[in-house]
Each structure stands twice: as C-alpha cells, then as structure tokens.
Amino acid sequence: QGYTQKYIVKNYFYYYLFKFSAALGEEIFYITFLPFTYWNIDHSVSRRMIIVWSIVMYIGQVSKDILKWPRPLSPPVVKLEMRTDAEYGMPSTHAMAATAISFSFFLATVNQYKYPFELGLVAAFVFSTLVCLSRLYTGMHTVLDVIGGALISAVLLLLLYPAWDAIDDFLLTSPFCPLVSIVVPLILCYNYPKLEYYSPTRGDTTTILGAGAGATVGFWLNNQYAVPADASADFQLGFPLLSGKIAVLMLARFFVGILVVLLTRQLVKNVVLGLLRYRYKFPVDDLEARRRLEVEVPYKFITYSSVGFSATVLVPLLHELLGLM
C-alpha cells in the first residue's frame, strides 16, 4: 500500500501519448466530449452514447468487484497511476468505455451523415486501441483485462444496438421516464456489491449513473416542454461545415457550457456535503465519513445528476439566451 516505484522515462513520445490516451477513459473526457456532442453535433447521437456508456460502465464496475481479479503486481510492472490501483483489474473499464463510446458514436452517425464508412471504422478502432494500450503501458491492467473489457463492451453494444430506437423513444416520450431514470440507478447504487475494504468503484459508478440519470431527465423535459427531439433543423446541428463563424460558435457554446457544468458540480457538491455533514455529524476533512454508503451515494448521485441535468437543460437555454444557437 502506498509503494511507488521510481522510473526513468526513456521515450517521451510513448509516455505522453499513452498518458493522454489513458485520460480519454476518465472523467475529464466524459465531462467534455459527451456534452460537446450534445451542444454542437447531434442530440440523438449524444443520447445513445450516454445510455450505452452508463450501462456498459455499470456492468464493468460491478464485474470487477464480483470477479475480484487483482491488478498486475508491481514490481515487475511500473504503475504510473495510483488512484485506480485500489480497484480490481478484470475487466478494464477504460477499455470498455473507449470501445463503447467510439463505436456507439460510429454506429449512431454512419447512416445519418456523409463520411467514408472505412474512415469512421478506423477512427473508432484507433481511439479504442490507444486507450487499451495505455492501460498496459501505465501498468494498470494485464492483456487479458484489456481484451476482456473490449470484448464485453462489444457484446453489450451488439445487444443494445437493435433496441436503440425503442429505448430512445421511451426516454423521450414515456411519462414514467423521470421516475425510472432516478429510481433504478439509485437502487443499483445502494445495492452495489460490498467489499472487505474501500474501493472507488462504488463512488465512480454512482457518479456515472447519476450523470446518466440527470441527462436522461433532461432529454425527457426537453422533448416534452422545449423543442421536440425530431425538430432537428434548428436544434441539432449535425456535422456542420466548419466555417470560421461556426467554429467560433461551437467553441463559445463549449466554453460557456463547461463553465456552467463545473460551477454546478462545485455548488451542488458543497451544498449536499454540507447537509450530509449536518445530518451525520462529521468534520469537513473526514475522508472516511465521506466514503460511507449513506454519505457517498447521495452526495455523488445528487451532484452528478445535477451536472447531467444542467448540461442538457440549463446550458442549451443559456446558449439560446446568449444567441449562440
């Protein structure tokens, strides 16, 4: 525990390439790419990616804590990350997320937009491969972990793909969508597999399901009370030709949106943690208390469901108010 190997970087190209690739499977990527797609490319594509991502990541996280396969021993490998070292190894959720997001994006766009099929397929393959290789380079997974994660994600994507339209229709039109979107993820979070020691997997899973729940409620509200999902002429941009003006608008929407998302996350986190500290009587710097089930699940779920809701409802309204649509 806490042991860190010293190492010397001999090839900075591989080092920075795979450190960057590893980040493509982490929160910083999810919280930027998925909203960017929603704000600037296509709502239907974003909806499908978020749903697939939520399901795939939940199954991957739970599988880790059921199988309990250890990560590679260090030594002999050198581990370049420490936070995720507390988790089990099989399957690699980085590999699962990268495969799910890249290929769901490809499958959702290939029949809607004009671009070479081969180009999209190669781009999805390269993206997922880079993330998979980064897990080996950083010493966080074995080859079997990575292959297993990619294969599980591919199977889940194949199973979900035929039901995409039905799921999307339910999320947009069913009066039960908001209730199901909140209650089911909460039940899954509170009944997450118990471990003998603390692992960040439950907290990460709650974060993902919370974000997906908030976004799903936002999808439903937008379709019911704002602009219907099929009214794509003005509300969904598709793949625009990047003139200078459009590029500036896209960047403006992105930076305004990310600012709102980050402010929402910080504000809601502080409020919810404050209320939970008052309820359960623990000090601000008590990390162990924040890891307890009755604290971790509500604070992360409420925080990130607010983030998902803000990204899909509040940010587009602000874009329209600022004339960025």
Side-chain angles (χ1 to χ4, degrees):
Q1 294 292 329
Y3 174 73
T4 304
Q5 283 182 278
K6 293 182 179 180
Y7 58 88
I8 298 174
V9 179
K10 294 183 178 180
N11 190 316
Y12 281 95
F13 174 77
Y14 287 144
Y15 178 79
Y16 288 114
L17 172 65
F18 291 124
K19 289 286 282 185
F20 173 76
S21 300
L24 297 178
E26 297 172 358
E27 181 186 354
I28 187 64
F29 175 73
Y30 306 143
I31 209 170
T32 53
F33 178 72
L34 294 176
F36 180 88
T37 304
Y38 189 78
W39 299 329
N40 288 308
I41 299 179
D42 192 308
H43 287 185
S44 66
V45 173
S46 181
R47 288 197 305 269
R48 284 161 170 76
M49 285 198 298
I50 289 172
I51 297 306
V52 169
W53 168 68
S54 301
I55 294 172
V56 165
M57 288 298 288
Y58 173 76
I59 292 174
Q61 297 284 69
V62 169
S63 298
K64 281 185 178 183
D65 290 339
I66 292 176
L67 293 174
K68 298 182 179 180
W69 287 19
R71 290 185 181 269
L73 294 176
S74 176
V77 304
V78 177
K79 294 186 177 180
L80 304 185
E81 298 175 14
M82 294 308 299
R83 178 184 178 275
T84 55
D85 193 35
E87 301 176 7
Y88 289 107
M90 177 68 175
S92 166
T93 46
H94 273 71
M96 292 183 70
T99 302
I101 288 177
S102 59
F103 281 94
S104 62
F105 183 84
F106 169 64
L107 291 172
T109 58
V110 68
N111 292 323
Q112 295 189 47
Y113 304 107
K114 294 181 179 179
Y115 65 85
F117 176 89
E118 295 79 6
L119 178 62
L121 185 62
V122 169
F125 179 79
V126 169
F127 179 91
S128 56
T129 300
L130 281 175
V131 176
C132 290
L133 291 176
S134 75
R135 309 316 291 156
L136 303 178
Y137 183 87
T138 55
M140 302 313 297
H141 286 285
T142 65
V143 174
L144 186 59
D145 294 344
V146 170
I147 293 175
L151 288 177
I152 293 171
S153 188
V155 170
L156 289 172
L157 191 56
L158 288 174
L159 293 174
L160 289 169
Y161 180 70
W164 268 9
D165 291 339
I167 295 172
D168 198 44
D169 182 66
F170 172 82
L171 295 180
L172 294 175
T173 62
S174 172
F176 301 106
C177 172
L179 180 65
V180 172
S181 298
I182 298 296
V183 172
V184 172
L186 271 176
I187 292 174
L188 294 176
C189 292
Y190 275 106
N191 290 276
Y192 192 83
K194 294 180 175 61
L195 297 175
E196 297 79 14
Y197 64 92
Y198 178 79
S199 167
T201 48
R202 185 184 66 202
D204 291 345
T205 303
T206 304
T207 294
I208 293 164
L209 294 183
T216 301
V217 173
F219 298 152
W220 183 85
L221 279 175
N222 284 336
N223 191 62
Q224 297 296 317
Y225 301 107
V227 179
D230 58 358
S232 58
D234 298 321
F235 208 50
Q236 296 180 190
L237 296 179
F239 283 144
L241 295 175
L242 286 182
S243 65
K245 181 179 179 181
I246 291 178
V248 170
L249 280 174
M250 291 174 70
L251 288 174
R253 281 193 291 265
F254 175 71
F255 286 114
V256 168
I258 286 297
L259 179 61
V260 172
V261 164
L262 294 178
L263 288 174
T264 300
R265 181 176 67 170
Q266 194 61 43
L267 176 63
V268 175
K269 177 181 177 180
N270 290 341
V271 171
V272 174
L273 273 178
L275 292 173
L276 290 170
R277 280 197 298 268
Y278 177 79
R279 169 65 177 83
Y280 294 106
K281 312 299 181 186
F282 62 89
V284 175
D285 57 351
D286 190 344
L287 182 59
E288 289 302 316
R290 289 169 59 173
R291 291 174 170 178
R292 285 155 40 189
L293 175 69
E294 64 271 21
V295 175
E296 183 177 59
V297 169
Y299 115 68
K300 290 199 170 182
F301 190 88
I302 295 172
T303 297
Y304 283 90
S305 60
S306 300
V307 167
F309 183 84
S310 174
T312 53
V313 176
L314 300 183
V315 171
L317 289 175
L318 182 59
H319 287 164
E320 188 171 1
L321 182 66
L322 296 174
L324 298 176
M325 297 303 295

